[in-house]
Amino acid sequence: MKRGQITAILLVLTLAIAALSFTGCTSGETTTPGSPFVGGTNGILMSFLEGNPPAEVTDDKTYPFNVVVKVKNDGEANIRSSTLKITLSGFDPKEFGFSDGGAEAITNTLKEELTATRKDVEGNTIEGSTVYMTFPPEDSGLPPFEYTGKLSGNTPFTIRADACYLYGTQANAKLCLKRNVLEPDKKGGVCKVTESKTVYNSGGPVQVTSLKESVGGQGKVSITFTLEHKGNGKIYLAESTGYRVHGDSPL
């Protein structure tokens, strides 16, 4: 009986949507509130459950096993069911008992909502939820993986998990609104129209890194902001993947 080694590699791919919400200045006392968000630049965090996949396998179909991926929502957007998909790669499913290519065995879609990390009313951090996604999927009726060939010695196998999911970021900034925006900002005034604003971001891979308000004309203000990918994984436009942004929005 020979044994082969399995190397586990993780890669996260992220779909992100950015949304903005603002509050206006009012007369009276001024305050400097802290961030309403937990913050951070993560969306999901992934890891393989220890022993799934195992560090080594035996040949001749004598060591069946499953692959289990632990997925935690570490950011501040909910991930709705069916908007996260994990695909395994790096190995040939045919060598592990799936003669038809094993497409169904190496893909799994989120079946429940992954709730976001958040702050409670007292400012305490409530951790986001965690799920364990099994391959082959438990509801597929498929048998576990098992190496069907012969091994002449220790043989490395690579199993990689790619996650593609819909995510969102909220950014909160305080704008200056006054009757006559063309009037020059006064020293000691309640707020200034023309200036860079402090921006607070919810936890997520895409962040609003700067926001500036300026006069846009009579009775108008202009807002310019910069979006940056600050987290792990890669970012794609949601529309390019076929997701319905309004129906599946995590915000």
Side-chain angles (χ1 to χ4, degrees):
M1 183 180 296
K2 307 297 190 302
R3 296 177 179 270
Q5 297 178 338
I6 290 182
T7 302
I9 301 176
L10 294 175
L11 176 68
V12 179
L13 303 179
T14 308
L15 305 175
I17 305 171
L20 300 175
S21 61
F22 302 98
T23 58
C25 292
T26 59
S27 60
E29 294 184 355
T30 59
T31 60
T32 306
S35 174
F37 304 112
V38 176
T41 58
N42 288 329
I44 66 168
L45 298 177
M46 291 199 306
S47 61
F48 288 111
L49 184 66
E50 185 175 359
N52 298 272
E56 56 185 20
V57 296
T58 57
D59 58 6
D60 282 336
K61 303 176 69 172
T62 56
Y63 192 78
F65 66 92
N66 293 102
V67 175
V68 181
V69 179
K70 177 182 178 182
V71 184
K72 177 185 178 183
N73 189 353
D74 198 51
E76 292 181 82
N78 293 326
I79 302 176
R80 297 182 180 179
S81 62
S82 77
T83 64
L84 181 149
K85 180 180 179 181
I86 295 179
T87 304
L88 302 183
S89 62
F91 67 103
D92 186 354
K94 293 180 180 179
E95 295 182 335
F96 289 85
F98 294 93
S99 59
D100 62 351
E104 188 178 358
I106 61 174
T107 59
N108 201 347
T109 301
L110 183 68
K111 304 298 191 302
E112 60 187 272
E113 183 176 69
L114 269 176
T115 57
T117 299
R118 61 182 177 84
K119 276 186 178 181
D120 64 15
V121 294
E122 296 180 349
N124 301 311
T125 298
I126 308 299
E127 296 290 333
S129 58
T130 298
V131 296
Y132 294 86
M133 299 178 67
T134 301
F135 300 83
E138 294 175 324
D139 59 356
S140 67
L142 296 173
F145 298 107
E146 50 187 358
Y147 192 77
T148 59
K150 295 286 187 179
L151 296 173
S152 58
N154 289 345
T155 304
F157 291 97
T158 296
I159 294 182
R160 163 173 159 165
D162 297 320
C164 186
Y165 61 105
L166 186 68
Y167 216 69
T169 300
Q170 288 184 302
N172 189 304
K174 196 169 188 178
L175 302 182
C176 182
L177 305 176
K178 56 185 183 180
R179 293 181 184 278
N180 183 8
V181 296
L182 297 178
E183 180 183 4
D185 293 325
K186 297 179 180 179
K187 184 177 181 180
V190 67
C191 62
K192 293 182 179 181
V193 174
T194 304
E195 66 174 359
S196 296
K197 307 297 182 181
T198 299
V199 184
Y200 299 107
N201 286 271
S202 63
V206 174
Q207 300 280 291
V208 178
T209 55
S210 67
L211 186 147
K212 185 175 182 179
E213 181 183 11
S214 59
V215 176
Q218 181 66 45
K220 300 178 181 179
V221 294
S222 175
I223 308 297
T224 58
F225 57 90
T226 301
L227 291 174
E228 291 188 43
H229 175 210
K230 306 292 284 187
N232 56 359
K234 297 180 180 180
I235 300 297
Y236 299 90
L237 289 175
E239 290 83 353
S240 69
T241 67
Y243 277 112
R244 294 178 296 105
V245 175
H246 296 293
D248 293 328
S249 174
L251 302 176

